[in-house]
């Protein structure tokens, strides 16, 4: 019974991640971490919440941040997206291609934050 009660409490306190801001970082160079490596150009998307909100703030302020069991330098990544989760986030992550007009805007320095 205690497990069910704890599960119910956890579900009542759960956060709807789709309503929170999201961000995408892109690695500027190959970087190896204790848990895994990231290649130049690879992207990492995350919900900007709790520890990842702190990490995004560290990146923006040029500080080191925890990543994959190690430390990453903010100069090794670019923040390429901040916003809601949806179509723009999916484009920034590379899940879906941009529409022709969005690709044009992106190449002109408008549109996505790349």
């Amino acid at each position: 019974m205690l497990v069910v009660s704890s599960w119910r409490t956890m579900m009542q306190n759960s956060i709807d991640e789709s309503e929170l801001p999201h961000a995408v970082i892109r690695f500027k160079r190959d970087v190896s971490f204790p848990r895994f490596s990231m290649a130049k150009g690879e992207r990492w998307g995350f919900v900007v919440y709790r520890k990842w909100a702190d990490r995004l703030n560290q990146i923006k302020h040029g500080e080191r941040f925890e990543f994959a069991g190690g430390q990453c330098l903010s100069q090794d990544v670019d923040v390429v997206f901040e916003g809601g989760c949806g179509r723009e986030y999916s484009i920034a992550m590379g899940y879906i291609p941009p529409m022709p007009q969005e690709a044009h805007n992106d190449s002109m320095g408008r549109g996505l934050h790349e």
Side-chain angles (χ1 to χ4, degrees):
M1 188 66 168
L2 179 62
V3 173
V4 173
S5 177
S6 298
W7 180 80
R8 284 187 185 145
T9 302
M10 183 178 71
M11 294 307 292
Q12 289 170 349
N13 295 331
S14 67
I15 303 296
D16 183 1
E17 290 185 358
S18 68
E19 306 233 348
L20 294 173
H22 285 60
V24 177
I25 57 174
R26 180 178 49 214
F27 284 79
K28 295 180 185 180
R29 66 180 186 94
D30 295 347
V31 184
S32 182
F33 300 102
R35 291 190 191 132
F36 54 85
S37 297
M38 296 296 288
K40 179 181 178 180
E42 277 193 291
R43 298 167 188 218
W44 186 269
F46 53 92
V47 177
V48 181
Y49 183 69
R50 293 190 179 179
K51 67 180 178 181
W52 274 104
D54 294 339
R55 290 175 184 161
L56 181 60
N57 191 43
Q58 291 169 321
I59 293 168
K60 289 180 176 182
H61 287 92
E63 301 170 9
R64 293 176 183 232
F65 62 99
E66 185 182 329
F67 187 85
Q71 293 287 308
C72 185
L73 302 175
S74 62
Q75 64 209 38
D76 289 337
V77 299
D78 282 323
V79 177
V80 295
F81 176 81
E82 288 183 75
C85 100
R87 191 170 196 290
E88 287 184 347
Y89 172 77
S90 295
I91 292 170
M93 280 298 293
Y95 296 149
I96 60 173
M99 301 279 288
Q101 183 60 38
E102 290 167 336
H104 174 72
N105 286 348
D106 186 37
S107 68
M108 300 300 290
R110 299 180 302 269
L112 295 178
H113 302 118
E114 292 189 67

